[in-house]
Amino acid sequence: MKKGLFSKLVATFAAIIAVSFIMTAAFLSYWFESYYFEQRKGQLTAESAHISSIAVQYWKGTISIDRLTELLTAVAQYDSMDIWLVDSYGYPYAVSNPKQQNVLKTQVLTKELEKLRLNEPVDTIGIYGNIFKVPVRTFDIPIFSGGVFKGAIMMHTSVNELKSTLMRVYEIIWISALFAIIISCIVIYYFSQRIIIKPLAQINYVADKISKGEVEKRVNINSKDEIGILAKSFNSMADSLEEVEKNRREFISNVSHEIRSPITSVKGFIGGILDGVIPKEKENYYLSIAYEEVQRLTRLVNDLLDLSAIEAGQFKLRIEEIDINEIVRLCIIKFEQKIHEKRLKVDVLMQDDNLYVAADRDRINQVVTNLVDNAVKYVGEGGTIKVSTKIKGDKALISVFNDGPIIPERDLKHIWNRFYKVDKSRTSKVSTGLGLSIVRSILTQLGEDIWIENKESQGVTFCFTLKRV
Ligand SMILES: Nc1ncnc2c1ncn2[C@@H]1O[C@H](COP(=O)(O)OP(=O)(O)OP(=O)(O)O)[C@@H](O)[C@H]1O
Ligand SMILES: [Mg+2]
């Protein structure tokens, strides 16, 4: 991964640098060429005054054609160009380079003459038959003598000379491009290591450790960029994984603990009976205790199976129209004996005889039973229980209240956890701490809400909603 990301970055940067340098080179050569010829034009225009005075002398017969050619050759060599003198019909009559003699007597200027007659210099590019191998830039400057057009001076500048200068410029550009690429590689390497590659490697390392069970490992990246955000989300994911792992361990230890105590006592009682340690007349008494323990064990196992099935979504909910008021009434009747034993005062408040909701009958029965069971269990002797159902918009609101001590703030958010009991010592014998987890799992699966309303110096209310039909 390290090599991949780095080489991709380098390739991208090298491409960007290359493109920008090619563009620079193109602009520069265009600019350079026009600048060069502009300069050259100025220089040659100055030179042309001298040449035209020689030409005029020739016309006047002051100097011979040989002398004229000689003088032209000298000027041409000095300025590294070729000079032709052309008459007013466009025919050359003197050339600076003897090798170009065969251009004499061929018309080299036609259209240009019009402009030249108007005393306008002309600027062209051409090879003039086969005289030049590569195109040359030519400046034509008219000659006037006594106001009469006497032809023109043609000054050819080879592009070759410019090419070699440009080549040098390109060379410099490419060498600097190469340097730029090398330097940017070093910079990219340094920064990508610091900003991306090392942090990613760290996240990768920690992910590997976590997957091997070291769930307490975290990444330590504090940058404010996307990598920092990734590290943050990664850490919070690790937090929840650690939490899940902690819950799993706790769950296993709780289950083993809950199962071990009834099994130990059942084993003790039956062993005592078999050994004869327990006297015959007490056998029945101990057997009934053992029976209760086995029943408790059965309930525990059933609760656990229910819970895992609900959480795994294996219980197919059978949604039907049910009367929640009827379920509440039947449930209270189920607890009649316990209510009587604890001399409790029970209030049932309902707006109507029936309140129809869409839910799974058996599961809602389990919810109401668990909540009423808790109320009956945790209310004080001679206390009050209030169960009410009412309509709230398109929902039915069911609440189960019991007076007595409220649930401490710090326990509120744990109360839904499996095996969580507020008062571990007092309730350990009669409860397992699974009731509320089951309640919440069922309601979550139905897409409904449940919450606790603690009322200081009054008691505790559990409220939940169901969808009305
Ligand atoms: N009505 C209530 N009043 C006071 N405390 C309550 C009430 N209902 C629940 N609790 C507290 O919440 C804890 C968890 O309740 P939950 O129903 O999950 O378990 P449990 O009643 O202890 O055991 P189980 O329901 O499995 O027999 C209880 O141990 C108790 O401390
Ligand atoms: Mg309970």
Side-chain angles (χ1 to χ4, degrees):
M1 182 196 76
K2 194 168 160 179
K3 222 176 137 196
L5 207 54
F6 175 63
S7 52
K8 275 178 199 162
L9 280 175
V10 166
T12 315
F13 271 76
I16 293 171
I17 290 172
V19 167
S20 52
F21 271 83
I22 286 171
M23 277 166 72
T24 314
F27 281 123
L28 210 64
S29 66
Y30 173 76
W31 171 82
F32 190 74
E33 209 174 305
S34 28
Y35 176 77
Y36 177 83
F37 282 112
E38 219 42 55
Q39 290 287 95
R40 187 83 172 150
K41 230 164 152 178
Q43 185 192 352
L44 297 184
T45 315
E47 208 67 80
S48 70
H50 175 52
I51 301 170
S52 56
S53 78
I54 305 171
V56 170
Q57 281 180 44
Y58 168 71
W59 283 109
K60 285 180 180 162
T62 327
I63 53 169
S64 68
I65 184 78
D66 289 339
R67 178 70 186 139
L68 174 69
T69 312
E70 205 176 293
L71 287 169
L72 279 186
T73 312
V75 176
Q77 262 175 7
Y78 180 73
D79 277 325
S80 54
M81 58 174 169
D82 292 315
I83 306 171
W84 298 349
L85 289 178
V86 188
D87 64 16
S88 54
Y89 299 103
Y91 290 90
Y93 56 88
V95 292
S96 64
N97 187 348
K99 283 183 196 152
Q100 295 167 358
Q101 288 281 355
N102 48 351
V103 83
L104 298 173
K105 309 279 179 328
T106 52
Q107 197 183 20
V108 289
L109 292 181
T110 47
K111 285 194 306 262
E112 296 90 342
L113 286 171
E114 265 171 52
K115 273 193 165 180
L116 291 167
R117 266 183 230 284
L118 298 172
N119 199 5
E120 278 177 35
V122 179
D123 180 356
T124 55
I125 297 178
I127 54 168
Y128 301 96
N130 282 326
I131 304 286
F132 299 102
K133 291 200 173 55
V134 287
V136 288
R137 286 289 281 255
T138 307
F139 299 113
D140 305 329
I141 292 173
I143 303 172
F144 283 89
S145 173
V148 182
F149 178 60
K150 289 281 187 189
I153 313 165
M154 293 179 74
M155 292 174 282
H156 308 289
T157 305
S158 159
V159 188
N160 267 356
E161 196 193 328
L162 177 67
K163 280 274 153 63
S164 65
T165 319
L166 269 181
M167 275 330 227
R168 183 83 197 111
V169 173
Y170 288 148
E171 225 169 72
I172 292 171
I173 288 179
W174 284 119
I175 288 172
S176 35
L178 200 71
F179 270 112
I181 290 174
I182 292 171
I183 290 171
S184 61
C185 276
I186 296 169
V187 173
I188 292 166
Y189 181 76
Y190 177 72
F191 277 104
S192 62
Q193 281 288 332
R194 256 194 55 167
I195 298 171
I196 309 173
I197 295 167
K198 274 201 185 137
L200 283 186
Q202 199 194 353
I203 294 175
N204 205 16
Y205 172 80
V206 174
D208 187 52
K209 288 279 166 205
I210 289 178
S211 72
K212 288 186 179 130
E214 291 179 47
V215 284
E216 70 290 341
K217 279 263 186 301
R218 293 292 178 275
V219 291
N220 183 19
I221 299 166
N222 296 317
S223 58
K224 298 266 178 293
D225 53 13
E226 284 82 350
I227 297 276
I229 297 170
L230 174 68
K232 228 174 171 181
S233 335
F234 182 89
N235 278 347
S236 57
M237 185 192 75
D239 286 346
S240 21
L241 269 180
E242 193 180 356
E243 179 75 25
V244 168
E245 179 62 18
K246 201 181 104 209
N247 284 347
R248 195 183 63 86
R249 288 199 188 128
E250 243 172 42
F251 177 71
I252 291 175
S253 88
N254 281 332
V255 172
S256 346
H257 176 82
E258 291 292 332
I259 291 176
R260 194 171 49 197
S261 41
I263 286 183
T264 315
S265 55
V266 168
K267 198 176 131 202
F269 295 143
I270 295 176
I273 290 167
L274 290 178
D275 294 350
V277 177
I278 291 172
K280 266 266 181 286
E281 65 276 13
K282 289 240 168 149
E283 264 178 21
N284 260 354
Y285 169 71
Y286 282 107
L287 271 178
S288 69
I289 298 179
Y291 180 71
E292 258 171 42
E293 290 287 295
V294 171
Q295 246 180 343
R296 196 161 89 81
L297 209 56
T298 313
R299 221 195 86 197
L300 170 74
V301 172
N302 283 341
D303 278 356
L304 275 176
L305 286 176
D306 275 5
L307 196 58
S308 72
I310 295 167
E311 282 179 355
Q314 280 167 1
F315 265 136
K316 279 272 160 285
L317 290 172
R318 273 192 307 128
I319 306 291
E320 54 189 328
E321 196 179 310
I322 56 171
D323 180 3
I324 184 70
N325 286 354
E326 188 202 336
I327 290 180
V328 169
R329 278 190 294 265
L330 290 176
C331 187
I332 301 285
I333 294 169
K334 243 186 337 202
F335 284 93
E336 214 173 45
Q337 198 194 341
K338 278 187 188 162
I339 291 170
H340 191 72
E341 277 169 12
K342 271 183 112 173
R343 300 188 320 281
L344 302 177
K345 185 173 171 294
V346 180
D347 276 350
V348 180
L349 284 146
M350 287 162 181
Q351 284 175 342
D352 245 319
D353 270 357
N354 317 94
L355 174 50
Y356 291 100
V357 294
D360 181 308
R361 179 182 297 278
D362 292 343
R363 300 272 86 87
I364 292 303
N365 207 355
Q366 209 172 357
V367 169
V368 177
T369 307
N370 280 356
L371 291 179
V372 174
D373 175 55
N374 279 354
V376 171
K377 194 155 58 179
Y378 299 111
V379 72
E381 194 90 17
T384 309
I385 291 175
K386 279 183 202 150
V387 184
S388 77
T389 65
K390 60 181 166 207
I391 297 169
K392 219 176 176 194
D394 61 345
K395 297 274 183 188
L397 183 73
I398 299 98
S399 49
V400 181
F401 163 85
N402 66 277
D403 63 1
I406 58 164
I407 301 172
E409 194 69 34
R410 70 190 142 83
D411 293 304
L412 277 180
K413 70 172 190 282
H414 302 295
I415 216 157
W416 312 101
N417 293 349
R418 292 177 288 203
F419 297 111
Y420 194 86
K421 296 173 218 165
V422 174
D423 183 350
K424 282 142 190 102
S425 56
R426 186 170 70 99
T427 57
S428 64
K429 269 290 161 202
V430 277
S431 69
T432 53
L434 286 175
L436 288 180
S437 329
I438 294 175
V439 166
R440 189 154 82 166
S441 296
I442 292 172
L443 290 171
T444 307
Q445 232 198 357
L446 281 168
E448 299 295 340
D449 239 1
I450 178 158
W451 64 95
I452 302 171
E453 282 171 13
N454 257 333
K455 287 193 186 103
E456 195 70 59
S457 76
Q458 291 182 38
V460 185
T461 314
F462 282 81
C463 305
F464 68 94
T465 57
L466 285 175
K467 202 171 171 336
R468 271 199 322 128
V469 283

